[in-house]
Amino acid sequence: MKIITASQIDSFKNFIKAHNNFIIVGHKDPDGDCISSSLGVSYILEYLNKPFTIVNNGPFKRPETKEYEKFFTSEIPFMSKQDQDETGLIIVDCSEKMRLGEVGDTEYLDTFIIDHHKTSTGSEDSKCIIDSSSPAASCLVQMLYEAIVGPLDKKAADTLFFGLSTDTGFFRFLREDSANVFELAARLVTAGANPNKMYDKITGGKPYSTRKLLGTTIAHAERYCNGKLVVAYETMEDTKRYGQEGRDSDMFYQAMLSCEGVEAVVFVRQETEHSCTAGFRSRDAIDVSVVASHFGGGGHKNASGMSRDGKLETLIPEIVKEFSKIL
């Protein structure tokens, strides 16, 4: 992870100074890092006495995210032309507007992006802070907070630790080059974040039905590419039987990646009669973002996803075909 530069901090400050009102928005189906980053930016704006609205298309279906839904509205409020001219849009944990969902018209709003995904778009001339080496967008927001507001208070520390813990898999995804990430985490803990309670919050409270669904998902799993790839799926019937609350696909990814010889795992869900979502996970050497990008998705080298029109029976062979090129 890179430490954000003085010029990046100044770029963000100048963006704030240039507008009288702000919309903060992250990707639909928000995870802990998206929520954490959105709220973290709001704390900075609150300190600077700048009005803001926090928007997310939802749904807030993960057990650990439900308590935060009250801080968000589902769409951008109506704005006059003058309002649009005075409003800045801050996109966090995402850089592709198509991933925001149906939040309203963002085309005419001056935009600043804070993101850490490998497939993020942006250039040195863009109004953005993008670092694909950062394990979480909340790390970038934390550095902005400390540079603009100062030392963290407990509320900010709890919020930002939530995002960091989520996207690092409670630190198990970090490698030997992550000393500065742990330094950020140490400052969060010093300010009052509780690792023990956060771990329970992220991993606990899952409905019993999610464990039944996990068994069904594993039963659907098949190996491809000489055993290097595992693909599983969830049908609409599975979803109807076990519900959508507290889905825990991360447990499935962990179980499959722990198998000998497995280098990548795919989980495909039939969301509607004509559309699917898919998540990709891999070990160090396999870049699943390449496959996600092929299908219009994106993400990180070892964790990516996509949404696409189609059915399980036709989409899964397409996905396997693309993985065969890299496996």
Side-chain angles (χ1 to χ4, degrees):
M1 181 190 71
K2 302 172 185 175
I3 303 299
I4 59 175
T5 64
S7 62
Q8 289 176 314
I9 295 169
D10 287 341
S11 176
F12 184 73
K13 286 182 176 179
N14 291 334
F15 183 81
I16 301 302
K17 290 177 182 177
H19 302 88
N20 296 325
N21 185 52
F22 295 88
I23 303 293
I24 307 166
V25 62
H27 60 77
K28 60 184 179 181
D29 190 13
D31 59 2
D33 190 34
C34 180
I35 289 171
S36 173
S37 302
S38 298
L39 292 175
V41 169
S42 79
Y43 300 158
I44 297 173
L45 295 176
E46 189 174 41
Y47 173 80
L48 296 173
N49 294 315
K50 293 284 189 174
F52 60 84
T53 301
I54 318 177
V55 179
N56 197 285
N57 199 210
F60 291 76
K61 57 192 176 187
R62 296 174 173 87
E64 68 272 20
T65 66
K66 285 187 174 298
E67 67 180 276
Y68 297 98
E69 185 173 5
K70 62 187 176 184
F71 298 111
F72 294 79
T73 184
S74 61
E75 60 184 23
I76 295 173
F78 172 78
M79 291 184 286
S80 66
K81 179 62 168 62
Q82 181 178 347
D83 291 335
Q84 291 179 356
D85 292 341
E86 296 178 351
T87 299
L89 178 70
I90 302 176
I91 300 177
V92 298
D93 198 31
C94 175
S95 65
E96 304 88 355
K97 288 189 175 181
M98 62 179 295
R99 291 187 63 209
L100 302 179
E102 299 177 1
V103 296
D105 191 3
T106 61
E107 182 180 354
Y108 301 104
L109 298 178
D110 192 19
T111 303
F112 196 100
I113 296 171
I114 302 172
D115 193 23
H116 71 124
H117 290 92
K118 185 176 184 292
T119 51
S120 292
T121 56
S123 67
E124 293 183 0
D125 298 326
S126 301
K127 295 174 183 176
C128 64
I129 298 175
I130 295 176
D131 177 13
S132 61
S133 69
S134 177
S138 59
C139 291
L140 306 175
V141 174
Q142 178 181 344
M143 287 186 279
L144 282 174
Y145 183 102
E146 292 173 322
I148 297 171
V149 180
L152 297 147
D153 60 19
K154 188 179 187 310
K155 181 175 76 169
D158 285 338
T159 299
L160 294 169
F161 195 68
F162 178 40
L164 176 60
S165 299
T166 298
D167 264 29
T168 61
F170 215 80
F171 304 102
R172 71 181 187 274
F173 301 145
L174 297 180
R175 301 184 176 91
E176 69 277 1
D177 59 351
S178 302
N180 50 8
V181 180
F182 283 99
E183 289 170 1
L184 290 179
R187 295 201 293 272
L188 294 172
V189 173
T190 298
N194 187 316
N196 176 265
K197 289 184 178 180
M198 186 60 67
Y199 183 82
D200 285 345
K201 175 179 178 175
I202 292 174
T203 61
K206 309 295 184 185
Y208 177 73
S209 60
T210 64
R211 292 331 186 221
K212 301 286 285 186
L213 179 58
L214 176 62
T216 299
T217 302
I218 292 175
H220 288 164
E222 297 289 346
R223 299 182 79 171
Y224 300 87
C225 302
N226 296 320
K228 296 178 181 180
L229 174 68
V230 172
V231 180
Y233 60 87
E234 178 184 323
T235 66
M236 293 179 67
E237 290 73 22
D238 294 332
T239 304
K240 183 177 180 180
R241 181 178 182 183
Y242 296 111
Q244 300 186 34
E245 298 300 313
R247 287 168 168 172
D248 194 14
S249 52
D250 186 56
M251 185 70 73
F252 168 73
Y253 295 130
Q254 289 184 55
M256 294 299 100
L257 284 173
S258 68
C259 295
E260 182 180 8
V262 174
E263 297 183 21
V265 178
V266 175
F267 177 49
V268 189
R269 180 183 293 118
Q270 188 79 51
E271 298 285 358
T272 70
E273 290 286 352
H274 304 290
S275 66
C276 294
T277 59
F280 308 143
R281 300 294 186 273
S282 67
R283 295 188 178 279
D284 289 352
I286 307 303
D287 188 350
V288 293
S289 70
V290 174
V291 179
S293 296
H294 176 83
F295 291 99
H300 306 287
K301 177 182 177 182
N302 301 122
S304 292
M306 55 167 258
S307 298
R308 184 182 172 103
D309 291 341
K311 293 181 177 292
L312 293 171
E313 55 266 29
T314 56
L315 185 57
I316 288 176
E318 292 181 39
I319 292 173
V320 172
K321 180 180 178 181
E322 289 304 311
F323 267 97
S324 69
K325 297 176 182 178
I326 61 174
L327 291 176

